[in-house]
């Protein structure tokens, strides 16, 4: 079943049926001011932190309420509806609507009883407040007398949890005031602007309106709704008069009504503006929309669109697959920017209480934007290097208040208490290697390796030294066989292998890390270190070959007491995805092992909705460190189709030149490919989720945890480096696509180091990979490699696959 379509021209997803199987969301704003909005206007807003800067209330687990509601009422008939289908929820026989989610804006169109409305929601670029602009048009043939009301439900406390649970306190700290064109909400009014112990700042909130006089207002939620009413039938809307009530205690809100008359064909613009600012600033902001709201809104929206479309345009593909094109050109790319920006801070699933950046998550998120915005990526790489401890390990959680050089670490009780992370994880700092490597490849900026960056706790070092310390960390944490220890977790949060147990996945990451650093060391003539790395690489390779290859698969690791995890003969969890894909990505597996391991994945783990993380799920035979058994079988890490590793299996198949399989995996897991099966997938068809329920689940194919997932970056990398085969290194660009053999031609437009590359591919012979010839600006070059010296402002590349 379909609920909408991709408008690739406008880079929008258009929802044509509002009763979507889950709230389908979009992100507005920036970390200074963030907002999440669903296709029914549900969602919330916050300044700086979803946990400590919460402005609008949203009740999780309550199917998408409350939200940024705009109500319309026909004063001649007393009938009323909303600018988004919900909350009033008129019959879809008579109420027609569309929601357009675009890049950092959302538009709701509705037609009901001869009134057309368009509500545009956005946060202006580089501003810390939001705008809901309503254009309302009389499409009937008689004059209409309407009341238009905007409603925003404020939290009583900036701290989300306090607002939800500590009611004996938060019901008695807030008041609202009417200021002519706006409602002002104060919190702890007797101590204005005072920072609180939890780091949140109590500031005034405002909800203002321009474009019409306020006819009535309400600042008290209970009065607005009326007892035993709900958002779908508030008494203030039913009666057409908000009663001019304010709150003193209990729950506040901002509700403002305007009465307007429209002649047939006439339109009017009203803007509602919401934020957390001092009253003076609020007055100025609302005032700035008064002169010509329509023009200002138009300008601000085009500024936003130009900004985002400009970023996305740095890579543009035109292939025979619309599902692939829309993900690469718009939605996966935008999803990468959202994870890069928001980490796991705020969604309809993450309430914002994880008050920091997960180390591995963030370092991986960066990879998703490197090809589009290397200058943004490097800022964040610097930040993450400054969250590496001087022993080489990464801080499992990097606080939003991170202060390089002065942080406590998992070795300190204070860190453990504050973050809840009791120990180092095996993989965190190892993610730096592919991320730094990709950045240097994209930018050519090898000097980055010499930049000096502080450690999290004390001291500083060059990036090159930071990377050496990450190697040291793994070398200093080896398990029983001499492979990297599993520690508190590896990529898999649910795998506790301990200080002596070992992780094959981390061993492959470590192998790749040594290879990457080895190249840099060789370039710098650090010969001693090259030797050191080579020796250790060989040693590790030997251990891996001797202990981890099990006929047609690599095992997952070893427990402290010597049990092997992921053996063919195990009754449960005998086949794991990640060791197979990473044996290839790391360059470790022999050709024979690679192909066998990948075939085993395909034969044992693949499903029509993607590849399961392992199988069979744990049920009766788990071991002590197998935390995933807490999940139902087929869910999350317990045999679910975890989405992030889909990117790695796409990449692994592509690196082997298996374009058909790489693309098959892409299609199985691509949100866009599920557009007409939305009732099965449930999640938005335009963003990734954390996992899809596996075969063991009665809801096989249903996906969860929208938007903020490492999947965005791994699948992006799998597609860009893998399927499209764009693999830059410090000296140039290797191009080695692995595509479905049915593609006869496609093009890539890529901005690269200040030049524009237009690459046309021909594949008349229907191969999956290969390079018959390549011309750069008409000149034949060897090895499908574009040396940086050949780049010109407009570089034309003709590539013949077969
Ligand atoms: C979640 C976590 C991520 C972890 C993954 C697998 O996505 O955010 O850190 O690697 O689960 O457990």
């Amino acid at each position: 079943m379909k609920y909408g379509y991709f408008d690739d021209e406008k880079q929008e997803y258009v929802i044509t049926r509002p009763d979507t199987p889950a709230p389908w969301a979009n992100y507005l704003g920036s970390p200074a001011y963030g907002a999440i909005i669903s296709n029914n206007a549900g969602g919330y807003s916050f300044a700086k932190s979803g946990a400590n800067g919460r402005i609008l209330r949203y009740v999780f687990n309550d199917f998408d309420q409350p939200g940024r509601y705009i109500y319309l009422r026909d004063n001649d008939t007393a009938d009323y509806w909303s600018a988004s289908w919900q909350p009033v929820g008129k019959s879809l026989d008579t109420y027609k609507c569309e929601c357009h989610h675009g890049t950092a804006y959302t538009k709701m169109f509705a037609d009901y009883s001869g009134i057309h409305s368009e509500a545009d929601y956005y946060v202006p670029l580089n501003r810390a407040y939001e705008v809901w602009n309503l254009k309302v048009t009389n499409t009937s043939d008689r004059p209409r007398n309407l009341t238009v009301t905007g409603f925003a439900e404020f939290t009583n406390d900036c701290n989300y949890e306090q607002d939800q649970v500590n009611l004996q306190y938060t019901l008695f700290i807030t008041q609202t005031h009417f200021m002519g064109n706006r409602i002002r909400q104060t919190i702890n009014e007797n101590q204005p602007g005072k920072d609180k112990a939890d780091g949140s700042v109590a500031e005034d909130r405002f909800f203002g309106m321009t474009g019409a006089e306020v006819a009535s207002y309400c600042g008290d939620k209970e009065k607005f709704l009326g007892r035993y009413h709900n958002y779908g039938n508030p008494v203030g809307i039913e009666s057409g008069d908000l009663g001019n009530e304010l709150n003193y205690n209990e729950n506040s809100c901002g509700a403002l009504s305007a009465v307007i008359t429209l002649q047939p064909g006439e339109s009017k613009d009203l803007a509602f503006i919401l934020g957390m600012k001092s009253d003076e600033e609020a007055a100025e902001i609302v005032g700035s929309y008064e002169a010509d709201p329509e023009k200002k809104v138009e300008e601000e929206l085009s500024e936003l669109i130009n900004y985002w479309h400009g970023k996305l345009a740095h890579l543009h593909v035109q292939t025979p697959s619309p599902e692939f094109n829309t993900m690469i050109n718009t939605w996966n790319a935008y999803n990468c920017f959202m994870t890069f920006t928001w980490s796991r801070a705020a969604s309809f699933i993450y309430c914002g209480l994880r008050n920091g950046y997960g180390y591995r998550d963030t370092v991986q998120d960066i990879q998703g934007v490197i090809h589009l915005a290397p200058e943004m990526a490097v800022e964040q790489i610097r930040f993450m290097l400054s969250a590496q401890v001087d022993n080489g390990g990464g801080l499992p959680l990097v606080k939003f208040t991170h202060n390089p050089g002065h942080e406590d670490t998992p070795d300190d009780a204070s860190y453990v208490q504050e973050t809840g992370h009791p120990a180092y994880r095996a993989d965190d700092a190892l993610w730096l290697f592919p991320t730094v490597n990709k950045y240097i490849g994209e930018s050519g900026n090898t000097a980055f390796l010499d930049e000096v960056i502080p450690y999290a706790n004390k001291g500083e070092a060059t990036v090159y030294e930071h990377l050496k310390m990450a190697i040291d960390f793994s070398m200093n944490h080896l398990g029983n066989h001499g492979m990297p220890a599993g520690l508190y977790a590896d990529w898999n949060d649910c795998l506790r292998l301990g200080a002596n147990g070992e992780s094959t996945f981390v061993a492959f990451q470590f192998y790749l890390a040594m290879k990457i650093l080895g190249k840099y060391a060789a370039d710098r003539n650090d010969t001693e270190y090259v030797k050191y790395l080579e020796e250790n690489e060989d040693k590790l390779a030997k251990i891996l070959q001797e202990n981890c290859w099990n006929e047609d698969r690599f095992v997952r690791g070893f427990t402290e007491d010597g049990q092997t995890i992921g053996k063919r003969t195990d009754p449960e969890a005998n086949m794991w995805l990640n060791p197979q894909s990473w044996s290839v990505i790391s360059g470790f597996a022999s050709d024979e092992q690679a192909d066998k391991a990948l075939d085993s994945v395909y034969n044992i783990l693949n499903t029509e909705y993607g590849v399961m993380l392992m199988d069979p799920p744990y049920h009766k035979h788990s071991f002590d460190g197998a935390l995933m058994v807490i999940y139902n079988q087929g869910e999350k890490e317990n045999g679910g189709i975890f989405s992030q590793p889909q990117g790695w299996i796409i990449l692994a198949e592509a690196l082997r030149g298996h374009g058909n399989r790489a693309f098959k995996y892409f299609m199985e897991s691509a949100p866009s490919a599920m557009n007409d099966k939305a009732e099965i997938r449930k999640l938005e068809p335009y963003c990734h989720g954390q996992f899809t329920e596996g075969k063991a689940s009665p809801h096989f194919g249903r996906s969860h945890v929208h938007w903020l997932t490492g999947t965005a970056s791994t699948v992006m990398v799998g597609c860009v480096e893998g399927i499209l085969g764009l693999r830059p290194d410090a000296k140039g660009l290797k191009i080695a696509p692995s595509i479905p053999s049915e593609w006869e031609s496609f093009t890539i437009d890529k901005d690269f180091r200040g030049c524009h590359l237009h690459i046309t591919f021909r594949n008349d012979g229907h191969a999956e990979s290969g390079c018959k010839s390549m011309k750069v600006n008409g000149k034949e070059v060897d090895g499908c490699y574009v040396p940086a010296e050949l780049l010109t402002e407009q570089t034309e590349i003709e590539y013949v696959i077969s």
Side-chain angles (χ1 to χ4, degrees), residues 31-262:
Y33 188 96
I36 302 175
I37 183 164
S38 77
N39 54 311
N40 277 305
Y44 60 91
S45 313
F46 53 91
K48 298 199 179 106
S49 152
N52 289 326
R54 188 64 68 87
I55 298 167
L56 283 192
R57 182 177 288 157
Y58 186 76
V59 181
F60 290 91
N61 257 339
D62 199 23
F63 213 93
D64 206 23
Q65 304 201 85
R68 301 174 178 83
Y69 296 146
I70 302 177
Y71 299 88
L72 295 109
R73 179 179 190 273
D74 184 331
N75 293 330
D76 296 328
T77 62
D79 190 15
Y80 60 90
W81 62 101
S82 38
S84 44
W85 178 52
Q86 292 295 324
V88 177
K90 285 286 180 192
S91 160
L92 292 173
D93 295 336
T94 49
Y95 181 93
K96 302 289 165 205
C97 63
E98 277 188 359
C99 165
H100 294 213
H101 282 318
T103 47
Y105 67 88
T106 286
K107 297 182 174 193
M108 311 275 182
F109 298 87
D111 280 285
Y112 180 73
S113 74
I115 297 294
H116 176 77
S117 61
E118 175 184 339
D120 297 352
Y121 294 91
Y122 65 95
V123 174
L125 197 63
N126 304 322
R127 295 280 185 278
Y129 59 84
E130 66 190 80
V131 178
W132 321 348
N133 187 66
L134 185 80
K135 183 188 270 308
V136 48
T137 306
N138 178 0
T139 53
S140 70
D141 53 10
R142 62 203 151 93
R144 304 293 290 269
N145 173 15
L146 304 173
T147 296
V148 177
T149 306
F151 168 78
E153 184 167 328
F154 300 122
T155 53
N156 286 342
D157 193 294
C158 284
N159 182 283
Y160 153 77
E161 210 173 15
Q162 290 287 307
D163 176 60
Q164 291 287 301
V165 301
N166 194 5
L167 303 193
Q168 61 81 27
Y169 162 65
T170 55
L171 287 177
F172 311 104
I173 58 175
T174 151
Q175 300 180 43
T176 42
H177 305 273
F178 179 61
M179 318 299 292
N181 62 1
R182 64 194 183 279
I183 298 273
R184 169 180 166 226
Q185 184 215 23
T186 58
I187 297 174
N188 304 130
E189 195 177 308
N190 304 326
Q191 291 189 310
K194 190 166 188 313
D195 290 7
K196 301 209 221 160
D198 62 11
S200 64
V201 181
E203 262 198 80
D204 291 3
R205 287 84 173 276
F206 72 95
F207 183 66
M209 181 174 77
T210 62
E213 289 293 308
V214 173
S216 67
Y217 59 86
C218 184
D220 185 302
K221 178 191 164 187
E222 193 183 301
K223 300 264 168 49
F224 173 76
L225 289 182
R227 290 199 194 128
Y228 305 105
H229 282 243
N230 56 47
Y231 301 108
N233 62 356
V235 285
I237 301 299
E238 267 183 3
S239 67
D241 182 354
L242 299 180
N244 299 349
E245 305 265 10
L246 294 166
N247 83 308
Y248 186 95
N249 297 335
E250 302 192 328
N251 292 296
S252 37
C253 71
L256 298 169
S257 283
V259 176
I260 57 172
T261 312
L262 293 175

Side-chain angles (χ1 to χ4, degrees), residues 344 350 354 360-361 364 425 490-494 637 642 644 690 709-710:
R344 305 297 173 269
Y350 291 112
R354 194 208 282 197
R360 73 160 86 90
D361 290 356
Q364 291 172 83
R425 299 182 300 198
D490 66 3
W491 167 85
N492 190 324
D493 277 335
C494 297
E637 284 92 340
F642 221 88
Q644 206 185 347
Q690 185 198 63
T709 158

Side-chain angles (χ1 to χ4, degrees), residues 207 273 288 466 492 619 622 625 636 683 789:
F207 183 66
I273 299 155
S288 73
H466 272 264
N492 190 324
H619 177 46
S622 60
K636 301 216 15 150
L683 286 197
E789 313 78 81

Side-chain angles (χ1 to χ4, degrees), residues 258-275:
V259 176
I260 57 172
T261 312
L262 293 175
Q263 297 307 317
E266 198 190 349
S267 292
K268 192 156 184 48
D269 274 65
L270 292 176
F272 296 98
I273 299 155
L274 167 75

